[in-house]
Amino acid sequence: MQFAELSSAFTGHTVTHGWDAVCAMNAARTSQIFFQQYLNEGPTNPRAPLQAIFPHGTGSGFVLLDLILGPPQISFPADLALQQGEVQMSLVKGMLVQFDPDQQIIQSAIVIQPNESWIAGPVALDKVAGQVNTVGQVVANLAAGAYQPQIAGIEASSLLATEIGTAIQTFFAQQAMQYILGTIVVGNIPAALQPTHFEIVTQPDPNDTKGGCVLLLIQTNGTAGSVGPLQTYPIPEGHTAALLVSNQVLFNQLIPPFLTQEFKNMGTTFTGSQSNGVYSAVSSGGTVNLGQFSSDSDTEYSSDAYGSPAAVTIDTGGFVVFCAFESNLAVQWKKTFEQYWTTVDPIPPVSQTPYKANMACVYAMVNTASVDATTDVIAFSGSGSSQFGPAEHYSFWQKFCGHFNVPAVAEQRMNQTFDAIFGKLELPSVNTFALGNLLFPSLHALSLTAASVPCDLLASGDVSPRLQVLPATVHLQPGHTQQFVAVDQHGQPLTGILWELKPGLGSINGSGWYTAPAHVNGAEVVVVQAINCQNTTQSAGAMTVIYESPAANGLTISPSQLLLTAGQNFALHVTDASGNSVDATCSASPKVGTLTQGWTTGAWSYAAPATIDGDAVVTITAQATQDPTKTGTMKIYLAPTVPVTISPSASTVRPGGTVHLTASASGFSSFQWQLYPLGSGSIQADPSDSSKAIFTAPASEPQNQNVIMIVAYGLHSAAGIGLARVTFNP
């Protein structure tokens, strides 16, 4: 619906569900914003470890995950009715290690390549809690069970991929991981506009089956409201954002201090007053001095009870500022008071006669809202109307006013005094709140274009990058080029752009032509950054993935890198660039171990030799049967096994207790430590000597597990793993 229709639908009742504010943003634009935040963080910057051990297959084997995740890339799916977000995190590096706990040997390890594998999945928005911490960071907490990811980049049909997916879900179900979404600008704004907590929900657009918005339900210094979509879709047609500031915040916390400051010379105080769930701002105390009234001949004038000239002063209590018809801001004031008026008889003997009169004055104004296109300040403008005169009929009044028009002069003075305040009323700091305190101010601006006060403040506008780089994401082979273009929020190309690369891999000229480096080790991610030289606060980025694809020559063998120990087997799979299984001939160089073709298309297996005396590398090459020009390779690292001993090998601990552990092995001294099962305490390696670690038991005994497996392992030119047992004794 149009803005006026939406204002009418919101008239007379608060629609924020008890929240201090609600910000609605087009879902597609919000995904763009989160993508820019993702680029700003650095897509492959190590962000969080993912460590877990889980049983594998039907035997006694286990798989150990030791992965480093990149920052989350958050977006929103097409079906906004699901109340879900999508979170994808690349696996920056790490290992998937299979081991036999009975023999205490590592069997295999898949080496994770950057951007070759990732985890992705939905986040239940009703389980995501947001808060603003002490340094102004806006943090989303993926509470336990909120994130249900699956792993990608490992053959989907394999049993291992299924088990890894289950293990990752278990890991996130037991972790409440926090991710920074942005940083608010800590400014000198009222507490009513300082976000402290928020919830995220989505709301489909009833007029667009593929569209909708993301709602930020914002708590400042009030209490949290109910979580869910609003009764009416809050973004009007032609806009991509809307901001609702609750009636309580507006009339109870923002307008009263502003007006109290404006009325300070009169001694008037404004406070919020509630009636039927709706607030208004009302005044108390203070006086307005309208000055003395006198005729040109000074034979009629305002006076005190003794006939001495005196100014007309009126109690300024009783002003009411409220939301009125047609979504405007209204001011009303009506006051009765006693005032003396004196007439002078100039004919000797000169005499003066004071008259006491009950006076009545009225002031009213209806203000319309507007938004400054440059500053986004929301202001209300209008001119008031006043009435001034006796509250009842007085015989002297007509004669008194016959010489000069007291009501007209008084009404003019009232209008001048009150119009100067109410006619230029601004909502303090709402623009700062909208532009600086809603999650992502450093990257994007929420521009406001229209406002009204049907009950809550309703402002609408657009959320859009002031600057965008197109295309947003590209994949390039080493040495290839790509043209990038910087455009404004209307999609128009911009000039005067400074181009930067983070990191500085490859080159880019002043016109936005990027050339990828000729050679890369694994996958590299480069953020192409555009900075507007006319306004350096405006910047945006695009992501370039430079990757010598395993299928660059037509075929992929997965996994692309694998470590095996003596006598171990591993299934290989040959696919084309689209992931389809391909019939191929495979060979090993050097001819070490046994390479065997499987019974399904693309299936092969490799068996390491029964003994491995030193580390070696075997290259597997695949050649498509139907098109011999299509080939692919992978590497298998053969590693001898080394026994690892953990001391003590068995110990007993009470809840909350600790155990000091030491690992030792011939040939290497660098170890990684993990626990099984998840949630059974924590283990911390000594930063200066990873062969030493401290296990800390949980505060209470696990319900279904009183024996904990502690694992220390190393993967160097040899592979070794050791296990220790910890038993609870509560």
Side-chain angles (χ1 to χ4, degrees):
M1 61 181 69
Q2 298 296 327
F3 182 79
E5 296 176 288
L6 186 60
S7 294
S8 178
F10 287 169
T11 296
H13 59 283
T14 180
V15 296
T16 63
H17 285 343
W19 294 91
D20 296 314
V22 176
C23 183
M25 298 179 291
N26 174 274
R29 298 284 180 91
T30 306
S31 294
Q32 290 179 3
I33 289 172
F34 278 127
F35 179 67
Q36 289 298 318
Q37 182 69 28
Y38 172 70
L39 296 184
N40 192 52
E41 300 240 339
T44 58
N45 282 344
R47 183 59 180 270
L50 192 163
Q51 296 180 317
I53 297 175
F54 58 93
H56 170 49
T58 58
S60 61
F62 279 78
V63 169
L64 180 153
L65 300 182
D66 194 351
L67 308 172
I68 296 295
L69 303 176
Q73 181 178 345
I74 303 172
S75 60
F76 295 90
D79 189 353
L80 298 175
L82 294 175
Q83 293 300 317
Q84 292 179 342
E86 292 284 344
V87 175
Q88 177 173 309
M89 287 179 272
S90 63
L91 304 185
V92 176
K93 60 181 180 180
M95 295 277 188
L96 310 180
V97 180
Q98 289 183 254
F99 68 94
D100 184 332
D102 296 330
Q103 300 183 53
Q104 295 198 23
I105 60 169
I106 289 177
Q107 299 164 313
S108 66
I110 298 175
V111 182
I112 295 297
Q113 295 294 312
N115 287 281
E116 208 175 72
S117 299
W118 59 93
I119 61 172
V123 173
L125 295 179
D126 61 351
K127 295 182 179 179
V128 176
Q131 64 182 27
V132 180
N133 63 22
T134 55
V135 296
Q137 291 174 328
V138 181
V139 178
N141 189 359
L142 303 187
Y147 188 33
Q148 295 290 315
Q150 290 287 336
I151 194 165
I154 294 176
E155 186 185 348
S157 61
S158 71
L159 176 64
L160 180 59
T162 303
E163 292 174 340
I164 290 173
T166 301
I168 289 174
Q169 290 191 13
T170 302
F171 175 84
F172 279 98
Q174 297 185 16
Q175 306 288 323
M177 303 188 71
Q178 291 189 340
Y179 294 102
I180 299 171
L181 300 181
T183 304
I184 68 170
V185 176
V186 180
N188 185 25
I189 67 173
L193 294 178
Q194 287 281 5
T196 57
H197 174 84
F198 62 91
E199 299 284 344
I200 301 176
V201 298
T202 53
Q203 183 163 355
D205 185 345
N207 298 316
D208 183 357
T209 57
K210 297 183 179 180
C213 67
V214 177
L215 298 177
L216 299 179
L217 308 175
I218 303 165
Q219 178 183 356
T220 57
N221 62 346
T223 58
S226 58
V227 178
L230 303 183
Q231 292 180 350
T232 302
Y233 189 74
I235 302 179
E237 292 179 21
H239 297 261
T240 56
L243 175 64
L244 290 162
V245 178
S246 76
N247 170 266
Q248 182 275 137
V249 168
L250 190 64
F251 289 97
N252 189 41
Q253 299 194 69
L254 295 183
I255 291 178
F258 175 85
L259 292 178
T260 296
Q261 176 65 25
E262 295 296 313
F263 273 81
K264 66 178 181 179
N265 293 332
M266 304 179 203
T268 307
T269 301
F270 281 78
T271 57
S273 177
Q274 184 184 23
S275 176
N276 297 323
V278 177
Y279 278 87
S280 58
V282 299
S283 69
S284 61
T287 57
V288 60
N289 188 330
L290 296 184
Q292 189 196 5
F293 294 79
S294 61
S295 63
D296 292 340
S297 60
D298 292 329
T299 55
E300 295 89 15
Y301 54 86
S302 57
S303 69
D304 60 18
Y306 305 102
S308 299
V312 175
T313 60
I314 309 171
D315 175 13
T316 47
F319 272 100
V320 181
V321 184
F322 59 101
C323 47
F325 56 93
E326 296 182 354
S327 302
N328 294 311
L329 196 71
V331 180
Q332 286 187 356
W333 180 60
K334 183 177 183 180
K335 187 65 64 173
T336 58
F337 62 100
E338 292 183 345
Q339 178 65 45
Y340 283 91
W341 306 90
T342 294
T343 61
V344 178
D345 186 354
I347 300 175
V350 176
S351 63
Q352 57 186 30
T353 306
Y355 297 93
K356 182 173 73 172
N358 290 321
M359 307 298 296
C361 62
V362 173
Y363 177 82
M365 176 183 281
V366 176
N367 291 16
T368 55
S370 62
V371 182
D372 187 288
T374 302
T375 65
D376 288 89
V377 170
I378 299 173
F380 296 87
S381 60
S383 58
S385 61
S386 300
Q387 295 179 7
F388 185 93
E392 54 191 274
H393 177 74
Y394 293 102
S395 59
F396 79 91
W397 186 253
Q398 296 302 323
K399 178 181 178 182
F400 184 87
C401 289
H403 293 83
F404 71 107
N405 193 345
V406 173
V409 176
E411 290 163 6
Q412 181 184 28
R413 293 178 183 178
M414 289 169 58
N415 285 341
Q416 289 175 342
T417 300
F418 299 137
D419 283 8
I421 298 174
F422 295 111
K424 298 179 180 179
L425 190 152
E426 294 182 353
L427 292 183
S429 303
V430 168
N431 63 318
T432 304
F433 169 64
L435 305 181
N437 289 62
L438 293 180
L439 301 190
F440 353 82
S442 61
L443 298 173
H444 298 79
L446 170 63
S447 60
L448 304 175
T449 57
S452 66
V453 188
C455 182
D456 307 312
L457 168 68
L458 169 63
S460 66
D462 290 287
V463 58
S464 177
R466 299 296 191 186
L467 177 65
Q468 295 182 77
V469 178
L470 300 176
T473 304
V474 294
H475 291 74
L476 290 181
Q477 293 287 327
H480 287 204
T481 61
Q482 174 66 48
Q483 170 73 69
F484 290 98
V485 179
V487 299
D488 63 17
Q489 65 266 43
H490 305 297
Q492 298 301 311
L494 292 170
T495 58
I497 296 297
L498 174 65
W499 296 93
E500 293 183 349
L501 302 177
K502 298 179 181 179
L505 296 175
S507 62
I508 190 166
N509 66 17
S511 300
W513 272 104
Y514 172 72
T515 302
H519 302 285
V520 293
N521 294 321
E524 294 286 357
V525 176
V526 176
V527 176
V528 177
Q529 193 82 6
I531 302 171
N532 189 344
C533 294
Q534 279 73 44
N535 183 353
T536 55
T537 63
Q538 295 180 4
S539 65
M543 184 170 71
T544 304
V545 181
I546 307 163
Y547 191 30
E548 183 70 63
S549 170
N553 296 319
L555 299 183
T556 296
I557 309 175
S558 59
S560 61
Q561 291 191 50
L562 174 68
L563 179 146
L564 288 178
T565 58
Q568 302 302 320
N569 292 275
F570 205 93
L572 309 177
H573 193 194
V574 182
T575 60
D576 61 17
S578 300
N580 302 310
S581 298
V582 173
D583 189 19
T585 300
C586 291
S587 61
S589 178
K591 294 182 178 181
V592 176
T594 304
L595 186 62
T596 306
Q597 187 171 14
W599 295 100
T600 58
T601 302
W604 288 76
S605 66
Y606 176 83
T611 60
I612 298 176
D613 297 326
D615 60 308
V617 179
V618 176
T619 300
I620 306 297
T621 301
Q623 186 176 45
T625 302
Q626 294 185 352
D627 185 357
T629 63
K630 293 183 178 180
T631 62
T633 62
M634 62 89 64
K635 294 184 182 299
I636 298 176
Y637 300 86
L638 301 178
T641 58
V642 175
V644 175
T645 301
I646 300 178
S647 178
S649 60
S651 54
T652 301
V653 68
R654 294 180 181 274
T658 60
V659 178
H660 291 256
L661 301 143
T662 301
S664 60
S666 175
F668 58 87
S669 58
S670 177
F671 298 91
Q672 301 291 329
W673 296 82
Q674 283 202 43
L675 303 174
Y676 174 80
L678 278 169
S680 56
S682 63
I683 192 161
Q684 182 66 49
D686 186 329
S688 61
D689 183 358
S690 63
S691 68
K692 301 180 185 300
I694 298 176
F695 165 73
T696 303
S700 59
E701 181 183 8
Q703 293 181 352
N704 301 317
Q705 184 88 22
N706 68 341
V707 176
I708 296 170
M709 176 198 300
I710 294 180
V711 173
Y713 77 97
L715 292 170
H716 307 280
S717 57
I721 191 166
L723 279 66
R725 176 189 298 265
V726 174
T727 305
F728 268 94
N729 183 6

